[in-house]
Amino acid sequence: MVVAQVGREKAIITRAGGELAAFSNICPHAAADLRKGRLARGQIKCHEHGYTFDVRSGRATWPEGEGCRLLRFEVRVQDGQIMLRPAWEPRAGA
Ligand code: FES
């Protein structure tokens, strides 16, 4: 995984299922830094409480029924460069 600065946000960029996926480094459960997490088979596991998230959909895959989601970035490749745009409303002051 690669980390990029996007405005005031940090994005984790990875490949999943042959496609690029990007999401905020802030865990939606309790704000741990997902850069310390473990990425495997299209899922990121947070080091803090063990929640896991599908990096393509953002949905929590563990614990079952958990409603929090990763903040994802829209990813576009243009002229060999990866372009990212938050897929959520920016926070106040961001
Ligand atoms: S802060 Fe990430 S699982 Fe709790």
Side-chain angles (χ1 to χ4, degrees):
M1 73 182 158
V2 173
V3 178
Q5 189 76 35
V6 182
R8 299 170 83 168
E9 310 287 342
K10 286 185 175 56
I12 296 174
I13 306 168
T14 187
R15 278 199 185 277
E19 296 180 13
L20 289 171
F23 52 95
S24 169
N25 70 307
I26 305 297
C27 179
H29 175 237
D33 189 343
L34 289 171
R35 291 177 296 176
K36 297 178 183 172
R38 184 163 172 248
L39 188 60
R41 296 187 304 272
Q43 297 191 34
I44 182 91
K45 181 175 184 175
C46 181
H47 73 287
E48 191 69 30
H49 306 109
Y51 281 36
T52 59
F53 301 90
D54 182 304
V55 300
R56 287 183 288 184
S57 70
R59 284 184 289 170
T61 53
W62 188 91
E64 202 169 303
E66 177 58 45
C68 59
R69 286 177 172 247
L70 295 174
L71 292 177
R72 295 181 306 120
F73 290 82
E74 295 173 13
V75 181
R76 185 167 47 98
V77 178
Q78 183 176 332
D79 298 328
Q81 299 213 340
I82 298 170
M83 314 291 276
L84 301 178
R85 186 168 71 183
W88 70 89
E89 287 293 318
R91 292 178 279 187

